[in-house]
Amino acid sequence: MPLKLYFNYFSEPSRAVLIFLKVNNIEHIAQEIKLDGEHKKPEYTSINPFQKVPCLKDGDFIVRESISAAKYIASKCKTADHWYPKDLERRTRVDEYLDWQHMNTRTIGNKAFYTKVLAPWFTSKPVDTQQLQVDLEAVAVCYRQIENNFLGDSSFLCGEEISLADIFAACEIVQTTVCGDTLGQHPKLQSWIHRVQQKLSPYFDEIHKPLLNSYKE
Ligand SMILES: N[C@@H](CCC(=O)N[C@@H](CS)C(=O)NCC(=O)O)C(=O)O
């Protein structure tokens, strides 16, 4: 039975897991769950009581966290070693980014996306430009930390080969580009994202199309 991924195109971790499945040519069924309420209906809640996407189902086994799901896929489907290396130190570097990003790339980027896109949509009020500026400054600090503490002089976040860390990071970072020119002051990140995009071609662009077509100004 193929793996089943419940996902949404506007969800960064959903896109990361979907891209990982596709770039590894893993047989799967991808079912889009609308975030306008479908994720809270009993049918989906019985699969993921946290009412979030993504969620991975492998037969009766359900994984409700994106990073756990990606690691599960890497082990179960024996993907190429560079995605999630067996070598302890290399693997720990990948884990380190994946642990760090929850309260950094993800939380900080989400805040800017909320201010720019979601708050005006929920409240029908114009964008709070002062708040957005504060949020974008926090994004810039976070991106400098990624450049200095993860990317350094390497081609990818955890060394010379692409890993799960790059997929998750790139999906978060692309989402902030709809909030402003978040990459303008970060040429190193721009070049890195270009490399990631090429490695994940054509899936990276394909899976980001709904987001970028909806919000890019
Ligand atoms: N820690 C979870 C976070 C998942 C998450 O926050 N998903 C968001 C979309 S990106 C969601 O489903 N939001 C719906 C809601 O909160 O109502 C993971 O990485 O899988």
Side-chain angles (χ1 to χ4, degrees):
M1 199 189 300
L3 297 174
K4 185 163 185 182
L5 182 72
Y6 300 88
F7 82 105
N8 185 279
Y9 283 108
F10 297 89
S11 152
E12 310 89 308
S14 289
R15 293 195 299 272
V17 180
L18 185 55
I19 290 169
F20 187 50
L21 284 167
K22 286 189 179 253
V23 81
N24 283 289
N25 205 16
I26 294 167
E27 191 189 357
H28 66 278
I29 297 165
Q31 182 176 328
E32 192 173 4
I33 298 293
K34 302 276 181 215
L35 293 178
D36 59 3
E38 189 183 356
H39 63 309
K40 301 212 165 162
K41 291 205 167 137
E43 198 185 353
Y44 186 64
T45 304
S46 70
I47 298 159
N48 185 358
F50 298 132
Q51 303 180 322
K52 306 260 185 210
V53 286
C55 183
L56 183 77
K57 197 167 181 295
D58 183 12
D60 290 336
F61 187 66
I62 297 176
V63 191
R64 302 163 300 189
E65 276 290 328
S66 60
I67 287 171
S68 309
K71 291 178 181 177
Y72 177 82
I73 294 165
S75 295
K76 172 100 196 217
C77 303
K78 298 184 174 51
T79 57
D81 190 67
H82 61 87
W83 294 115
Y84 192 54
K86 289 199 177 55
D87 174 81
L88 183 60
E89 289 190 6
R90 288 182 59 209
R91 172 173 288 217
T92 302
R93 279 279 161 266
V94 176
D95 283 333
E96 186 180 48
Y97 175 78
L98 294 174
D99 289 339
W100 181 84
Q101 61 90 36
H102 284 296
M103 294 305 290
N104 291 280
T105 329
R106 175 152 177 78
T107 303
I108 292 167
N110 266 344
K111 180 83 179 63
F113 190 75
Y114 180 83
T115 303
K116 171 75 185 200
V117 175
L118 298 180
W121 188 62
F122 289 143
T123 63
S124 304
K125 287 187 182 154
V127 175
D128 179 343
T129 49
Q130 266 184 337
Q131 183 60 52
L132 185 60
Q133 200 181 332
V134 171
D135 295 344
L136 290 177
E137 279 163 18
V139 166
V141 170
C142 173
Y143 289 2
R144 271 198 299 280
Q145 288 185 340
I146 296 176
E147 288 175 320
N148 294 338
N149 302 325
F150 290 100
L151 192 54
D153 293 323
S154 306
S155 303
F156 295 99
L157 292 188
C158 302
E160 288 310 309
E161 288 189 283
I162 191 166
S163 74
L164 282 179
D166 298 284
I167 306 185
F168 278 90
C171 290
E172 292 293 343
I173 290 172
V174 166
Q175 186 121 343
T176 66
T177 63
V178 309
C179 307
D181 182 18
T182 51
L183 288 175
Q185 300 301 310
H186 300 279
K188 234 175 162 177
L189 271 194
Q190 270 183 40
S191 313
W192 159 80
I193 219 159
H194 188 62
R195 285 192 289 278
V196 173
Q197 209 173 358
Q198 283 179 326
K199 286 276 181 194
L200 301 177
S201 176
Y203 309 111
F204 191 83
D205 288 349
E206 183 186 300
I207 289 165
H208 279 88
K209 232 179 232 161
L211 170 82
L212 296 179
N213 286 352
S214 297
Y215 295 122
K216 207 112 201 184
E217 283 169 355

